[in-house]
Amino acid sequence: MSAVKVSNLSILYHQIPALWDINFEVPEGTMVAIIGPNGAGKSTLLKSILNLIKVKNGEIEIMGTPHHKLRDKHKYIAYMPQRSSIDFDFPTNVIDVVMMGRYGHLGWFKRPGKNERELAMNALKKFGMAEYSHRQIGELSGGQKQRVFLARAYIQQADIYFLDEPFGGVDSKTEQVTLDLLKELKDNNKTIIVVTHELDTLKAYFDYIMLINTQKIAFGTPSEVLTAENMQAAYGGLMHMPHR
Amino acid sequence: MSIWELLSNLGIGYTLAVVSIGAIVIGFVTGVLSVLFVLQKRSVIGDALAHASLPGIAIGFFIVLEKNRLYMITGALITSFMAIVSIMLISKWTRLKEDTSIAVVLSFFFAIGIAMLTYIQNLSLSAQAGLEHYIFGNIAFLLLSDLKSILFLSVIVLLPVLLFYKEFKIYLFNREHAIVLGINVKFLELLLMVLITLSVVLAIEMIGVVLISGMLVAPAVAARQWTDKFAKMIILSGIISAMIGVAGAISSSQSFDLPPGPIIIVYLTLFVGFSLLFGTKSGIFQNWIHRNIFHRNVDHDELLSEFITTTTGLFQSDAMTILEFDREHYPELSELILDKLIQCGFCKKLSGSKCALTYKGIQETEKFKSERRNE
Ligand SMILES: Nc1ncnc2c1ncn2[C@@H]1O[C@H](COP(=O)(O)OP(=O)(O)O)[C@@H](O)[C@H]1O
Ligand SMILES: [Mg+2]
């Protein structure tokens, strides 16, 4: 069974397509990168899979179930949003944000307790953030913020992990922590879908790469996808190709 | 000895006591709701709700021809709901921006409300007395029976906030995350809208339609300057709003010409100003101290290292060398750091949010990276 199956997906914003006729399948337990230039529709693709954007054209299945009919979503899906989409002035601290990863498991009315606090604290330790547990979330550097959201996704213990731009503008420690987490998730047979525009150092980790620019340019193993023609098709003249 | 005797022994008249308790309760409830309202970041919707409740209140009055809270509330809920639905439909079917459609709907409902109130005024019924107070507010005529229905309504508004505290928190912080966790966000949005409408109806007699949105915004804004915890902010906002409510109600009852609404808003605005200046969490004064004491001695190295660590995605990549970058992709690159970098000549601003690293900046970056590799 595929973890995620996208068929004939098109998304329009005010009659202008952000995605056009996208088809692909992500087998369970694989790690997939979605790459493409800015504005290519990568976040839009992730959000439509997660049912955060209404899908009018096309079908999306998660674990064989249409995504809008999926029950107990928190068991299947963990999502790390793009950092720029978060309101860092919100009155809350690091440990509270991490504990939110368990809110789905708690169900209505139940408040997070000792168990959730412990899970959150362990996750923070794992990502080197234990000493910041009571900081206001706005008072962290970009990389530290990122690690808080990694911890939040981590304690959810879902089957499929969606990460939007986890390598955008972070320090090398955060990059390392993120990579370690991806490896650990993969060893535990989780499915991982990562949006990124930085692939040079990472291509060895991914089983498949989805290259898009509104339309699907290519989907396949890294060596199949990362050809000069494909990159030219996706990035046009925008990207400087490696000159070693 | 009853509580009234006790109060009158303390020199507080019965009427003033009822009015004060009413103002405290109403103030507390609107203060609590204002936190949810402000953090939802859709304050224009609240203004529309407040204005759209006016015709509903008038209709509620029409039906029974007396000031019956139950009918007025039901009326207010119905017209507010109609307003929200029209806003959504207009935004969907036309290409008007949401705030434009809100403005259109808001003035339409408000005009109808005013027309109906004026009509009622001219009916010369005995029960109509005081209906004009819904415009600027009045609390001096509050009766003990009013107090009971106010208390009842307050419990109805506060209980869901308590019950769904966790859900509201995650929804307000990160709506998309809440959806992904399977939390019913549509339900929360509807509930919040109903609660805001209820608190509007609750406070409308005291503040009046025109100024009510201030009461729904100001307490939360003030509270945020003194705390950065969600629960504390809710309680603090409730207390601030209750104190100012009662102060306004008492001031108004001392000078009969002034309705409480404007007085309360003036007090609130002054307090918000004070909090913005001196608040311990994000007050201007605090920030200024922070910036000038803690950042005065920032040296180039530290600045640059912060810059580089926030932008490694761009500059560490060996294969690509892009010197131009878009600030929007680096939310951590604060205005302050960028200004300093520009001052140092490491960076320059291009058009819009585009920036570029200068030759000097590139050299410094390279130097910094090689130093770090050697560590
Ligand atoms: N809510 C929206 N309303 C209108 N246009 C949007 C919206 N979100 C994204 N877009 C547009 O859709 C395109 C794809 O955006 P996005 O998915 O964020 O790209 P990426 O994540 O690949 O940078 C862009 O042109 C963007 O301007
Ligand atoms: Mg994106």
Side-chain angles (χ1 to χ4, degrees):
Chain A
M1 186 172 43
S2 306
V4 175
K5 183 176 175 194
V6 175
S7 330
N8 310 319
L9 173 71
S10 297
I11 298 280
L12 307 170
Y13 292 117
H14 302 298
Q15 280 93 51
I16 297 164
L19 289 175
W20 193 254
D21 199 25
I22 302 283
N23 293 281
F24 72 114
E25 273 180 60
V26 176
E28 255 184 281
T30 57
M31 192 153 126
V32 175
I34 298 175
I35 64 170
N38 271 319
K42 305 183 292 295
S43 297
T44 302
L45 178 55
L46 219 55
K47 285 181 187 174
S48 33
I49 295 173
L50 295 170
N51 204 13
L52 295 171
I53 295 175
K54 203 166 173 144
V55 174
K56 289 185 197 139
N57 306 297
E59 276 106 53
I60 291 164
E61 286 177 13
I62 289 177
M63 297 298 200
T65 311
H67 68 167
H68 55 277
K69 290 192 184 146
L70 194 67
R71 309 186 125 258
D72 287 331
K73 273 166 112 177
H74 61 272
K75 288 187 189 151
Y76 298 104
I77 304 170
Y79 171 48
M80 197 188 80
Q82 211 166 346
R83 212 158 56 247
S84 54
S85 71
I86 303 282
D87 167 22
F88 286 102
D89 274 336
F90 194 89
T92 187
N93 61 18
V94 167
I95 185 132
D96 274 358
V97 171
V98 178
M99 281 196 291
M100 286 180 191
R102 299 301 291 184
Y103 278 18
H105 300 253
L106 283 170
W108 293 94
F109 307 125
K110 276 201 222 85
R111 296 280 168 88
K114 210 170 142 231
N115 184 27
E116 284 70 34
R117 194 160 283 275
E118 225 165 80
L119 280 169
M121 212 49 221
N122 287 338
L124 284 173
K125 273 190 203 122
K126 183 184 177 78
F127 298 112
M129 288 294 294
E131 59 196 292
Y132 300 100
S133 65
H134 289 283
R135 278 274 183 96
Q136 209 282 122
I137 41 156
E139 295 168 0
L140 301 171
S141 76
Q144 291 169 333
K145 283 172 184 164
Q146 176 98 343
R147 282 182 264 156
V148 172
F149 289 100
L150 283 180
R152 183 179 79 172
Y154 178 75
I155 72 168
Q156 205 186 318
Q157 296 295 340
D159 291 335
I160 314 173
Y161 280 75
F162 294 86
L163 294 88
D164 200 345
E165 303 264 5
F167 301 107
V170 297
D171 53 288
S172 50
K173 163 142 198 216
T174 304
E175 192 179 299
Q176 195 51 51
V177 167
T178 311
L179 277 176
D180 291 345
L181 174 68
L182 293 182
K183 273 184 250 174
E184 182 187 326
L185 292 174
K186 199 175 172 190
D187 290 344
N188 290 325
N189 216 19
K190 308 278 188 187
T191 308
I192 307 155
I193 299 179
V194 182
V195 165
T196 177
H197 56 231
E198 189 180 351
L199 215 59
D200 290 324
T201 50
L202 302 174
K203 51 181 173 239
Y205 297 100
F206 290 97
D207 301 303
Y208 299 104
I209 288 175
M210 171 78 176
L211 178 62
I212 60 168
N213 192 351
T214 309
Q215 289 170 298
K216 175 165 93 177
I217 309 283
F219 179 76
T221 60
S223 55
E224 285 165 2
V225 172
L226 298 175
T227 62
E229 303 94 275
N230 282 339
M231 295 313 258
Q232 178 66 29
Y235 290 86
L238 285 174
M239 202 180 76
H240 307 254
M241 284 301 286
H243 43 83
R244 299 229 155 103
Chain B
M1 189 166 67
S2 80
I3 183 149
W4 307 119
E5 289 170 48
L6 178 77
L7 287 169
S8 72
N9 288 349
L10 291 170
I12 301 171
Y14 174 82
T15 320
L16 191 56
V18 170
V19 165
S20 305
I21 294 172
I24 288 176
V25 173
I26 293 171
F28 187 79
V29 173
T30 43
V32 167
L33 259 292
S34 87
V35 172
L36 306 188
F37 180 59
V38 164
L39 291 176
Q40 197 186 18
K41 294 175 206 78
R42 307 186 67 195
S43 1
V44 267
I45 286 269
D47 223 13
L49 278 178
H51 284 76
S53 66
L54 194 62
I57 285 170
I59 292 171
F61 178 86
F62 256 133
I63 291 172
V64 284
L65 286 176
E66 60 171 302
K67 276 168 66 184
N68 181 318
R69 247 194 205 86
L70 184 68
Y71 281 87
M72 291 178 166
I73 289 170
T74 315
L77 278 176
I78 292 171
T79 48
S80 302
F81 196 75
M82 281 165 56
I84 295 293
V85 171
S86 354
I87 290 168
M88 288 190 320
L89 290 183
I90 292 176
S91 308
K92 193 170 173 177
W93 286 338
T94 69
R95 281 191 65 173
L96 288 182
K97 290 227 171 66
E98 198 187 50
D99 45 354
T100 318
S101 44
I102 286 172
V104 171
V105 170
L106 178 153
S107 32
F108 175 72
F109 276 78
F110 190 55
I112 292 194
I114 295 284
M116 291 178 86
L117 280 190
T118 315
Y119 180 72
I120 292 171
Q121 290 304 310
N122 296 331
L123 279 181
S124 71
L125 295 163
S126 60
Q128 90 209 18
L131 223 54
E132 76 278 7
H133 298 322
Y134 286 97
I135 309 294
F136 281 119
N138 190 320
I139 197 168
F141 301 110
L142 211 62
L143 303 173
L144 193 59
S145 60
D146 292 327
L147 215 49
K148 280 179 192 149
S149 63
I150 286 174
L151 276 174
F152 177 72
L153 200 53
S154 302
V155 173
I156 300 227
V157 175
L158 292 182
L159 206 61
V161 177
L162 210 62
L163 281 178
F164 300 114
Y165 171 81
K166 163 176 120 259
E167 284 74 20
F168 274 129
K169 182 172 174 178
I170 192 168
Y171 156 69
L172 293 169
F173 174 55
N174 195 338
R175 183 176 183 271
E176 298 191 330
H177 187 229
I179 297 175
V180 170
L181 290 184
I183 287 169
N184 192 337
V185 164
K186 289 261 157 57
F187 165 74
L188 290 175
E189 278 168 351
L190 186 68
L191 179 63
L192 190 52
M193 197 199 89
V194 170
L195 294 181
I196 288 169
T197 310
L198 284 177
S199 62
V200 163
V201 174
L202 188 66
I204 211 163
E205 258 183 288
M206 179 162 94
I207 312 285
V209 177
V210 181
L211 296 173
I212 199 131
S213 51
M215 190 80 178
L216 274 174
V217 173
V221 173
R224 180 66 183 87
Q225 313 309 315
W226 303 95
T227 179
D228 49 24
K229 298 215 169 53
F230 186 56
K232 266 197 195 159
M233 183 174 165
I234 290 179
I235 292 171
L236 197 60
S237 175
I239 293 173
I240 291 171
S241 174
M243 303 299 277
I244 288 181
V246 75
I250 290 173
S251 311
S252 158
S253 68
Q254 303 300 331
S255 60
F256 281 116
D257 291 341
L258 281 176
I263 300 184
I264 289 175
I265 295 299
V266 168
Y267 287 172
L268 263 178
T269 312
L270 290 176
F271 189 73
V272 167
F274 174 76
S275 306
L276 284 173
L277 281 175
F278 300 108
T280 48
K281 286 304 172 188
S282 43
I284 289 168
F285 196 57
Q286 272 291 320
N287 285 350
W288 184 84
I289 292 179
H290 197 77
R291 213 172 342 204
N292 284 275
I293 309 297
F294 295 103
H295 282 275
R296 183 178 294 154
N297 301 323
V298 184
D299 56 313
H300 290 175
D301 285 356
E302 201 179 316
L303 213 66
L304 202 64
S305 83
E306 185 159 352
F307 174 64
I308 291 165
T309 47
T310 55
T311 54
T312 36
L314 271 178
F315 303 113
Q316 264 191 353
S317 161
D318 291 327
M320 280 188 259
T321 315
I322 300 175
L323 309 179
E324 223 178 274
F325 62 97
D326 193 333
R327 273 202 66 203
E328 277 178 9
H329 299 144
Y330 299 91
E332 297 79 20
L333 182 59
S334 69
E335 201 67 57
L336 185 76
I337 300 177
L338 191 66
D339 281 350
K340 295 262 179 184
L341 287 166
I342 292 171
Q343 266 174 34
C344 300
F346 295 153
C347 243
K348 67 179 177 205
K349 269 196 174 134
L350 304 176
S351 66
S353 56
K354 294 259 192 304
C355 296
L357 212 58
T358 61
Y359 183 64
K360 194 172 161 194
I362 296 167
Q363 280 182 324
E364 289 288 322
T365 316
E366 289 303 326
K367 210 167 77 190
F368 183 85
K369 278 198 289 193
S370 68
E371 274 165 18
R372 205 164 57 170
R373 266 196 293 272
N374 297 336
E375 265 168 23

